[in-house]
Amino acid sequence: MSGHLALNAVSGVLRDLVVRACAGDPVLGGLIRDKGDVSLANPTETAAQSHQRISLWLYRITENEFLKNLPAPEPGRVSSLALDLHYLVTPFTGNAENDQVLLGRVLQALHENASVYVSRPADPVVEEIRVVFCRLPLDEITRIWEALDEPYRLSVCYLVRVVRIDAERLRADAPVLEVTTGTGTGVTP
């Protein structure tokens, strides 16, 4: 069951994957050492921070059309909201060659971890997600950069599916599943 914390949990897992893959890589020479080097902010904000080396920006959320009309997991519950998350991954090392090496390592790490189990013990978030490399047409990726009012930078897109956000409330027309009857004592006619 996943709640409203699911989006943040998925972003955190992706960030952790990148840090684990890059932190000990001798070729990267310490470009990514910890979570502080990986930003979840948009590329414009990340570029302003000199210590952050890569942006994993959740730029779009769409409803998964294939799971939209599945029945609720429990009788009387509202169906889960099934989402696809779209991430733009952009390196910011200050050097074109380092950008390519860093992006190559991130591509490798996400490819090797195409199926990830997301679980946080303190939160009601449990999901198995698929991390899929997206081939966006040039015009669509250009529109993203134009919306940021930034010149195009080397970047790639990933689609993460399926993240579910379960409803907390019961349906108003939920069927009655159990009835308890009994007699009281001391009732006067």
Side-chain angles (χ1 to χ4, degrees):
M1 180 177 264
S2 296
H4 64 283
L5 301 172
L7 301 178
N8 183 254
V10 170
S11 294
V13 165
L14 292 178
R15 178 174 39 203
D16 291 345
L17 278 173
V18 169
V19 170
R20 272 197 315 272
C22 297
D25 191 316
V27 176
L28 291 175
L31 284 174
I32 304 291
R33 293 179 302 277
D34 56 34
K35 289 181 183 182
D37 294 329
V38 181
S39 172
L40 299 180
N42 71 47
T44 302
E45 294 173 19
T46 303
Q49 303 294 324
S50 61
H51 69 282
Q52 294 176 326
R53 301 296 188 180
I54 195 159
S55 169
L56 296 174
W57 179 42
L58 174 59
Y59 74 94
R60 185 175 175 203
I61 302 170
T62 57
E63 189 172 16
N64 183 290
E65 65 272 11
F66 302 109
L67 299 179
K68 185 174 186 170
N69 294 320
L70 282 182
E74 299 173 25
R77 286 240 173 244
V78 176
S79 295
S80 298
L81 178 61
L83 301 173
D84 292 336
L85 310 180
H86 304 258
Y87 286 87
L88 185 69
V89 181
T90 311
F92 289 92
T93 66
N95 176 297
E97 286 186 36
N98 287 344
D99 282 354
Q100 292 175 12
V101 172
L102 178 56
L103 192 57
R105 184 63 182 120
V106 171
L107 287 164
Q108 183 181 39
L110 294 178
H111 177 72
E112 290 172 352
N113 294 283
S115 182
V116 180
Y117 186 69
V118 179
S119 174
R120 283 184 166 178
D123 302 330
V125 177
V126 177
E127 288 291 334
E128 183 176 1
I129 58 171
R130 297 282 302 158
V131 181
V132 181
F133 182 74
C134 285
R135 291 180 290 157
L136 289 181
L138 184 59
D139 63 329
E140 187 171 335
I141 200 161
T142 303
R143 281 197 304 267
I144 294 169
W145 285 99
E146 285 175 358
L148 291 169
D149 199 27
E150 291 283 328
Y152 175 80
R153 294 185 61 100
L154 177 65
S155 55
V156 294
C157 295
Y158 274 89
L159 172 67
V160 175
R161 63 172 46 152
V162 168
V163 178
R164 289 177 182 55
I165 297 181
D166 294 334
E168 291 181 339
R169 71 176 180 85
L170 295 174
R171 289 189 350 228
D173 63 343
V176 176
L177 300 177
E178 184 177 314
V179 175
T180 305
T181 61
T183 59
T185 58
V187 179
T188 57

mmCIF file with all atom_site columns, all heavy atoms in Angstrom, residues 126-142:
data_model
loop_
_atom_site.group_PDB
_atom_site.id
_atom_site.type_symbol
_atom_site.label_atom_id
_atom_site.label_alt_id
_atom_site.label_comp_id
_atom_site.label_asym_id
_atom_site.label_entity_id
_atom_site.label_seq_id
_atom_site.pdbx_PDB_ins_code
_atom_site.Cartn_x
_atom_site.Cartn_y
_atom_site.Cartn_z
_atom_site.occupancy
_atom_site.B_iso_or_equiv
_atom_site.pdbx_formal_charge
_atom_site.auth_seq_id
_atom_site.auth_comp_id
_atom_site.auth_asym_id
_atom_site.auth_atom_id
_atom_site.pdbx_PDB_model_num
ATOM 1   N N   . VAL A 1 126 ? 5.262  0.998  -0.284  1.00 0.00 ? 126 VAL A N   1
ATOM 2   C CA  . VAL A 1 126 ? 5.834  -0.246 -0.776  1.00 0.00 ? 126 VAL A CA  1
ATOM 3   C C   . VAL A 1 126 ? 5.463  -0.355 -2.248  1.00 0.00 ? 126 VAL A C   1
ATOM 4   O O   . VAL A 1 126 ? 4.293  -0.423 -2.587  1.00 0.00 ? 126 VAL A O   1
ATOM 5   C CB  . VAL A 1 126 ? 5.295  -1.467 -0.009  1.00 0.00 ? 126 VAL A CB  1
ATOM 6   C CG1 . VAL A 1 126 ? 5.858  -2.747 -0.581  1.00 0.00 ? 126 VAL A CG1 1
ATOM 7   C CG2 . VAL A 1 126 ? 5.600  -1.353 1.468   1.00 0.00 ? 126 VAL A CG2 1
ATOM 8   N N   . GLU A 1 127 ? 6.450  -0.344 -3.102  1.00 0.00 ? 127 GLU A N   1
ATOM 9   C CA  . GLU A 1 127 ? 6.201  -0.416 -4.543  1.00 0.00 ? 127 GLU A CA  1
ATOM 10  C C   . GLU A 1 127 ? 7.319  -1.162 -5.240  1.00 0.00 ? 127 GLU A C   1
ATOM 11  O O   . GLU A 1 127 ? 8.468  -1.111 -4.805  1.00 0.00 ? 127 GLU A O   1
ATOM 12  C CB  . GLU A 1 127 ? 6.157  0.991  -5.165  1.00 0.00 ? 127 GLU A CB  1
ATOM 13  C CG  . GLU A 1 127 ? 4.951  1.811  -4.835  1.00 0.00 ? 127 GLU A CG  1
ATOM 14  C CD  . GLU A 1 127 ? 3.672  1.305  -5.453  1.00 0.00 ? 127 GLU A CD  1
ATOM 15  O OE1 . GLU A 1 127 ? 3.706  0.632  -6.493  1.00 0.00 ? 127 GLU A OE1 1
ATOM 16  O OE2 . GLU A 1 127 ? 2.631  1.575  -4.858  1.00 0.00 ? 127 GLU A OE2 1
ATOM 17  N N   . GLU A 1 128 ? 6.999  -1.839 -6.312  1.00 0.00 ? 128 GLU A N   1
ATOM 18  C CA  . GLU A 1 128 ? 8.012  -2.320 -7.239  1.00 0.00 ? 128 GLU A CA  1
ATOM 19  C C   . GLU A 1 128 ? 7.853  -1.467 -8.484  1.00 0.00 ? 128 GLU A C   1
ATOM 20  O O   . GLU A 1 128 ? 6.774  -1.409 -9.081  1.00 0.00 ? 128 GLU A O   1
ATOM 21  C CB  . GLU A 1 128 ? 7.831  -3.785 -7.584  1.00 0.00 ? 128 GLU A CB  1
ATOM 22  C CG  . GLU A 1 128 ? 8.933  -4.279 -8.487  1.00 0.00 ? 128 GLU A CG  1
ATOM 23  C CD  . GLU A 1 128 ? 8.851  -5.763 -8.785  1.00 0.00 ? 128 GLU A CD  1
ATOM 24  O OE1 . GLU A 1 128 ? 7.920  -6.417 -8.298  1.00 0.00 ? 128 GLU A OE1 1
ATOM 25  O OE2 . GLU A 1 128 ? 9.720  -6.244 -9.525  1.00 0.00 ? 128 GLU A OE2 1
ATOM 26  N N   . ILE A 1 129 ? 8.908  -0.771 -8.848  1.00 0.00 ? 129 ILE A N   1
ATOM 27  C CA  . ILE A 1 129 ? 8.835  0.155  -9.976  1.00 0.00 ? 129 ILE A CA  1
ATOM 28  C C   . ILE A 1 129 ? 9.741  -0.319 -11.105 1.00 0.00 ? 129 ILE A C   1
ATOM 29  O O   . ILE A 1 129 ? 10.681 -1.073 -10.887 1.00 0.00 ? 129 ILE A O   1
ATOM 30  C CB  . ILE A 1 129 ? 9.221  1.589  -9.560  1.00 0.00 ? 129 ILE A CB  1
ATOM 31  C CG1 . ILE A 1 129 ? 10.653 1.624  -8.972  1.00 0.00 ? 129 ILE A CG1 1
ATOM 32  C CG2 . ILE A 1 129 ? 8.212  2.159  -8.579  1.00 0.00 ? 129 ILE A CG2 1
ATOM 33  C CD1 . ILE A 1 129 ? 11.190 3.014  -8.737  1.00 0.00 ? 129 ILE A CD1 1
ATOM 34  N N   . ARG A 1 130 ? 9.429  0.142  -12.294 1.00 0.00 ? 130 ARG A N   1
ATOM 35  C CA  . ARG A 1 130 ? 10.261 -0.096 -13.470 1.00 0.00 ? 130 ARG A CA  1
ATOM 36  C C   . ARG A 1 130 ? 10.858 1.233  -13.890 1.00 0.00 ? 130 ARG A C   1
ATOM 37  O O   . ARG A 1 130 ? 10.148 2.233  -14.004 1.00 0.00 ? 130 ARG A O   1
ATOM 38  C CB  . ARG A 1 130 ? 9.430  -0.671 -14.620 1.00 0.00 ? 130 ARG A CB  1
ATOM 39  C CG  . ARG A 1 130 ? 8.817  -2.011 -14.335 1.00 0.00 ? 130 ARG A CG  1
ATOM 40  C CD  . ARG A 1 130 ? 9.761  -3.168 -14.439 1.00 0.00 ? 130 ARG A CD  1
ATOM 41  N NE  . ARG A 1 130 ? 10.344 -3.236 -15.761 1.00 0.00 ? 130 ARG A NE  1
ATOM 42  C CZ  . ARG A 1 130 ? 11.475 -3.840 -16.039 1.00 0.00 ? 130 ARG A CZ  1
ATOM 43  N NH1 . ARG A 1 130 ? 12.158 -4.427 -15.100 1.00 0.00 ? 130 ARG A NH1 1
ATOM 44  N NH2 . ARG A 1 130 ? 11.947 -3.858 -17.259 1.00 0.00 ? 130 ARG A NH2 1
ATOM 45  N N   . VAL A 1 131 ? 12.167 1.236  -14.130 1.00 0.00 ? 131 VAL A N   1
ATOM 46  C CA  . VAL A 1 131 ? 12.879 2.432  -14.566 1.00 0.00 ? 131 VAL A CA  1
ATOM 47  C C   . VAL A 1 131 ? 13.221 2.224  -16.040 1.00 0.00 ? 131 VAL A C   1
ATOM 48  O O   . VAL A 1 131 ? 14.003 1.335  -16.377 1.00 0.00 ? 131 VAL A O   1
ATOM 49  C CB  . VAL A 1 131 ? 14.155 2.650  -13.727 1.00 0.00 ? 131 VAL A CB  1
ATOM 50  C CG1 . VAL A 1 131 ? 14.874 3.914  -14.160 1.00 0.00 ? 131 VAL A CG1 1
ATOM 51  C CG2 . VAL A 1 131 ? 13.814 2.705  -12.245 1.00 0.00 ? 131 VAL A CG2 1
ATOM 52  N N   . VAL A 1 132 ? 12.612 3.038  -16.901 1.00 0.00 ? 132 VAL A N   1
ATOM 53  C CA  . VAL A 1 132 ? 12.711 2.840  -18.340 1.00 0.00 ? 132 VAL A CA  1
ATOM 54  C C   . VAL A 1 132 ? 13.320 4.072  -18.998 1.00 0.00 ? 132 VAL A C   1
ATOM 55  O O   . VAL A 1 132 ? 12.856 5.200  -18.783 1.00 0.00 ? 132 VAL A O   1
ATOM 56  C CB  . VAL A 1 132 ? 11.310 2.578  -18.955 1.00 0.00 ? 132 VAL A CB  1
ATOM 57  C CG1 . VAL A 1 132 ? 11.393 2.335  -20.447 1.00 0.00 ? 132 VAL A CG1 1
ATOM 58  C CG2 . VAL A 1 132 ? 10.606 1.430  -18.244 1.00 0.00 ? 132 VAL A CG2 1
ATOM 59  N N   . PHE A 1 133 ? 14.348 3.857  -19.804 1.00 0.00 ? 133 PHE A N   1
ATOM 60  C CA  . PHE A 1 133 ? 14.968 4.944  -20.570 1.00 0.00 ? 133 PHE A CA  1
ATOM 61  C C   . PHE A 1 133 ? 13.967 5.436  -21.613 1.00 0.00 ? 133 PHE A C   1
ATOM 62  O O   . PHE A 1 133 ? 13.361 4.646  -22.329 1.00 0.00 ? 133 PHE A O   1
ATOM 63  C CB  . PHE A 1 133 ? 16.241 4.423  -21.248 1.00 0.00 ? 133 PHE A CB  1
ATOM 64  C CG  . PHE A 1 133 ? 16.990 5.468  -22.012 1.00 0.00 ? 133 PHE A CG  1
ATOM 65  C CD1 . PHE A 1 133 ? 17.717 6.435  -21.344 1.00 0.00 ? 133 PHE A CD1 1
ATOM 66  C CD2 . PHE A 1 133 ? 16.978 5.482  -23.393 1.00 0.00 ? 133 PHE A CD2 1
ATOM 67  C CE1 . PHE A 1 133 ? 18.422 7.399  -22.039 1.00 0.00 ? 133 PHE A CE1 1
ATOM 68  C CE2 . PHE A 1 133 ? 17.680 6.435  -24.101 1.00 0.00 ? 133 PHE A CE2 1
ATOM 69  C CZ  . PHE A 1 133 ? 18.406 7.404  -23.429 1.00 0.00 ? 133 PHE A CZ  1
ATOM 70  N N   . CYS A 1 134 ? 13.767 6.746  -21.690 1.00 0.00 ? 134 CYS A N   1
ATOM 71  C CA  . CYS A 1 134 ? 12.819 7.335  -22.646 1.00 0.00 ? 134 CYS A CA  1
ATOM 72  C C   . CYS A 1 134 ? 13.559 7.936  -23.828 1.00 0.00 ? 134 CYS A C   1
ATOM 73  O O   . CYS A 1 134 ? 14.554 8.633  -23.644 1.00 0.00 ? 134 CYS A O   1
ATOM 74  C CB  . CYS A 1 134 ? 12.017 8.459  -21.991 1.00 0.00 ? 134 CYS A CB  1
ATOM 75  S SG  . CYS A 1 134 ? 10.773 7.885  -20.885 1.00 0.00 ? 134 CYS A SG  1
ATOM 76  N N   . ARG A 1 135 ? 13.031 7.706  -24.985 1.00 0.00 ? 135 ARG A N   1
ATOM 77  C CA  . ARG A 1 135 ? 13.571 8.356  -26.175 1.00 0.00 ? 135 ARG A CA  1
ATOM 78  C C   . ARG A 1 135 ? 12.608 9.469  -26.553 1.00 0.00 ? 135 ARG A C   1
ATOM 79  O O   . ARG A 1 135 ? 11.661 9.255  -27.297 1.00 0.00 ? 135 ARG A O   1
ATOM 80  C CB  . ARG A 1 135 ? 13.722 7.355  -27.317 1.00 0.00 ? 135 ARG A CB  1
ATOM 81  C CG  . ARG A 1 135 ? 14.812 6.352  -27.043 1.00 0.00 ? 135 ARG A CG  1
ATOM 82  C CD  . ARG A 1 135 ? 14.946 5.379  -28.152 1.00 0.00 ? 135 ARG A CD  1
ATOM 83  N NE  . ARG A 1 135 ? 13.764 4.508  -28.140 1.00 0.00 ? 135 ARG A NE  1
ATOM 84  C CZ  . ARG A 1 135 ? 13.322 3.848  -29.180 1.00 0.00 ? 135 ARG A CZ  1
ATOM 85  N NH1 . ARG A 1 135 ? 13.931 3.922  -30.324 1.00 0.00 ? 135 ARG A NH1 1
ATOM 86  N NH2 . ARG A 1 135 ? 12.266 3.088  -29.086 1.00 0.00 ? 135 ARG A NH2 1
ATOM 87  N N   . LEU A 1 136 ? 12.859 10.634 -26.007 1.00 0.00 ? 136 LEU A N   1
ATOM 88  C CA  . LEU A 1 136 ? 12.000 11.775 -26.311 1.00 0.00 ? 136 LEU A CA  1
ATOM 89  C C   . LEU A 1 136 ? 12.406 12.379 -27.646 1.00 0.00 ? 136 LEU A C   1
ATOM 90  O O   . LEU A 1 136 ? 13.600 12.509 -27.929 1.00 0.00 ? 136 LEU A O   1
ATOM 91  C CB  . LEU A 1 136 ? 12.130 12.857 -25.238 1.00 0.00 ? 136 LEU A CB  1
ATOM 92  C CG  . LEU A 1 136 ? 11.526 12.563 -23.877 1.00 0.00 ? 136 LEU A CG  1
ATOM 93  C CD1 . LEU A 1 136 ? 11.728 13.755 -22.962 1.00 0.00 ? 136 LEU A CD1 1
ATOM 94  C CD2 . LEU A 1 136 ? 10.061 12.230 -23.979 1.00 0.00 ? 136 LEU A CD2 1
ATOM 95  N N   . PRO A 1 137 ? 11.436 12.784 -28.445 1.00 0.00 ? 137 PRO A N   1
ATOM 96  C CA  . PRO A 1 137 ? 11.780 13.508 -29.671 1.00 0.00 ? 137 PRO A CA  1
ATOM 97  C C   . PRO A 1 137 ? 12.476 14.826 -29.317 1.00 0.00 ? 137 PRO A C   1
ATOM 98  O O   . PRO A 1 137 ? 12.250 15.402 -28.256 1.00 0.00 ? 137 PRO A O   1
ATOM 99  C CB  . PRO A 1 137 ? 10.426 13.774 -30.335 1.00 0.00 ? 137 PRO A CB  1
ATOM 100 C CG  . PRO A 1 137 ? 9.436  12.934 -29.616 1.00 0.00 ? 137 PRO A CG  1
ATOM 101 C CD  . PRO A 1 137 ? 10.010 12.579 -28.292 1.00 0.00 ? 137 PRO A CD  1
ATOM 102 N N   . LEU A 1 138 ? 13.325 15.286 -30.214 1.00 0.00 ? 138 LEU A N   1
ATOM 103 C CA  . LEU A 1 138 ? 14.094 16.497 -29.961 1.00 0.00 ? 138 LEU A CA  1
ATOM 104 C C   . LEU A 1 138 ? 13.192 17.692 -29.656 1.00 0.00 ? 138 LEU A C   1
ATOM 105 O O   . LEU A 1 138 ? 13.501 18.500 -28.781 1.00 0.00 ? 138 LEU A O   1
ATOM 106 C CB  . LEU A 1 138 ? 15.001 16.810 -31.160 1.00 0.00 ? 138 LEU A CB  1
ATOM 107 C CG  . LEU A 1 138 ? 15.930 18.013 -30.983 1.00 0.00 ? 138 LEU A CG  1
ATOM 108 C CD1 . LEU A 1 138 ? 16.846 17.820 -29.786 1.00 0.00 ? 138 LEU A CD1 1
ATOM 109 C CD2 . LEU A 1 138 ? 16.735 18.239 -32.251 1.00 0.00 ? 138 LEU A CD2 1
ATOM 110 N N   . ASP A 1 139 ? 12.045 17.798 -30.342 1.00 0.00 ? 139 ASP A N   1
ATOM 111 C CA  . ASP A 1 139 ? 11.164 18.942 -30.089 1.00 0.00 ? 139 ASP A CA  1
ATOM 112 C C   . ASP A 1 139 ? 10.599 18.919 -28.665 1.00 0.00 ? 139 ASP A C   1
ATOM 113 O O   . ASP A 1 139 ? 10.448 19.958 -28.036 1.00 0.00 ? 139 ASP A O   1
ATOM 114 C CB  . ASP A 1 139 ? 10.047 19.028 -31.130 1.00 0.00 ? 139 ASP A CB  1
ATOM 115 C CG  . ASP A 1 139 ? 9.117  17.824 -31.118 1.00 0.00 ? 139 ASP A CG  1
ATOM 116 O OD1 . ASP A 1 139 ? 9.581  16.714 -30.788 1.00 0.00 ? 139 ASP A OD1 1
ATOM 117 O OD2 . ASP A 1 139 ? 7.927  17.993 -31.444 1.00 0.00 ? 139 ASP A OD2 1
ATOM 118 N N   . GLU A 1 140 ? 10.320 17.732 -28.113 1.00 0.00 ? 140 GLU A N   1
ATOM 119 C CA  . GLU A 1 140 ? 9.778  17.666 -26.755 1.00 0.00 ? 140 GLU A CA  1
ATOM 120 C C   . GLU A 1 140 ? 10.843 18.031 -25.716 1.00 0.00 ? 140 GLU A C   1
ATOM 121 O O   . GLU A 1 140 ? 10.578 18.782 -24.782 1.00 0.00 ? 140 GLU A O   1
ATOM 122 C CB  . GLU A 1 140 ? 9.226  16.272 -26.462 1.00 0.00 ? 140 GLU A CB  1
ATOM 123 C CG  . GLU A 1 140 ? 8.496  16.208 -25.136 1.00 0.00 ? 140 GLU A CG  1
ATOM 124 C CD  . GLU A 1 140 ? 7.763  14.910 -24.922 1.00 0.00 ? 140 GLU A CD  1
ATOM 125 O OE1 . GLU A 1 140 ? 7.403  14.235 -25.899 1.00 0.00 ? 140 GLU A OE1 1
ATOM 126 O OE2 . GLU A 1 140 ? 7.541  14.576 -23.741 1.00 0.00 ? 140 GLU A OE2 1
ATOM 127 N N   . ILE A 1 141 ? 12.039 17.528 -25.880 1.00 0.00 ? 141 ILE A N   1
ATOM 128 C CA  . ILE A 1 141 ? 13.095 17.868 -24.918 1.00 0.00 ? 141 ILE A CA  1
ATOM 129 C C   . ILE A 1 141 ? 13.480 19.337 -25.052 1.00 0.00 ? 141 ILE A C   1
ATOM 130 O O   . ILE A 1 141 ? 13.788 20.007 -24.071 1.00 0.00 ? 141 ILE A O   1
ATOM 131 C CB  . ILE A 1 141 ? 14.310 16.924 -25.045 1.00 0.00 ? 141 ILE A CB  1
ATOM 132 C CG1 . ILE A 1 141 ? 15.113 16.981 -23.758 1.00 0.00 ? 141 ILE A CG1 1
ATOM 133 C CG2 . ILE A 1 141 ? 15.165 17.230 -26.232 1.00 0.00 ? 141 ILE A CG2 1
ATOM 134 C CD1 . ILE A 1 141 ? 16.039 15.805 -23.559 1.00 0.00 ? 141 ILE A CD1 1
ATOM 135 N N   . THR A 1 142 ? 13.400 19.873 -26.255 1.00 0.00 ? 142 THR A N   1
ATOM 136 C CA  . THR A 1 142 ? 13.671 21.302 -26.456 1.00 0.00 ? 142 THR A CA  1
ATOM 137 C C   . THR A 1 142 ? 12.620 22.149 -25.750 1.00 0.00 ? 142 THR A C   1
ATOM 138 O O   . THR A 1 142 ? 12.946 23.174 -25.147 1.00 0.00 ? 142 THR A O   1
ATOM 139 C CB  . THR A 1 142 ? 13.706 21.631 -27.963 1.00 0.00 ? 142 THR A CB  1
ATOM 140 O OG1 . THR A 1 142 ? 14.701 20.810 -28.575 1.00 0.00 ? 142 THR A OG1 1
ATOM 141 C CG2 . THR A 1 142 ? 14.021 23.081 -28.205 1.00 0.00 ? 142 THR A CG2 1
#
